[in-house]
Amino acid sequence: MSLQYLLDENVEPTYKTQLHRRNSNIVMWVVGEPGAPSRGTLDPEILCRCEAYNFVLVTNNRTSMPVHLIDHIESDRHVPGIFILNPKMSRGQTIEELIFVAEASFEKEYQDRIVNLPVS
């Protein structure tokens, strides 16, 4: 089973297009798309949706997301994981990393963790 991703609204949605060109089997939603949280949804609610739908959050949010994750866990909740994008990685490198991680991960490997890309 591969990971599913939810792209934060501040991440360019072209990541989804490029990921699906390389691997159409990986599920990736983008905040603001039908079925995903709407744009402007607060981070704590984004984490609840990730938990409910088993999505790893992909974000640029390095400042407030750690605080929100701590609050989420202290409320006896869990998330499949949060991946922080690396601005030094190209979009192509990031896509390859997301594909690799999705295909090579163990169940709950990133649960309740914030991981800076690259993982490999």
Side-chain angles (χ1 to χ4, degrees), residues 49-104:
R49 291 289 296 271
C50 286
E51 179 179 20
Y53 292 95
N54 199 34
F55 279 85
V56 172
L57 179 64
V58 179
T59 184
N60 289 315
N61 186 339
R62 291 171 179 72
T63 55
S64 65
M65 198 51 73
V67 174
H68 296 307
L69 178 60
I70 290 169
D71 291 343
H72 193 79
I73 292 169
E74 287 177 350
S75 297
D76 202 26
R77 306 205 62 168
H78 301 281
V79 293
I82 299 171
F83 290 167
I84 305 290
L85 295 177
N86 182 336
K88 294 181 181 177
M89 293 174 67
S90 70
R91 186 173 295 134
Q93 290 171 317
T94 300
I95 296 298
E96 289 301 319
E97 183 71 7
L98 291 172
I99 291 169
F100 171 76
V101 172
E103 293 175 341

Side-chain angles (χ1 to χ4, degrees), residues 7 11-24 26-30 33 91 95 98-99:
L7 288 182
V11 176
E12 290 187 37
T14 54
Y15 279 92
K16 178 180 179 179
T17 306
Q18 291 183 10
L19 182 130
H20 282 159
R21 282 186 187 144
R22 296 182 186 166
N23 187 325
S24 61
I26 296 175
V27 175
M28 180 177 277
W29 289 3
V30 179
E33 289 185 338
R91 186 173 295 134
I95 296 298
L98 291 172
I99 291 169

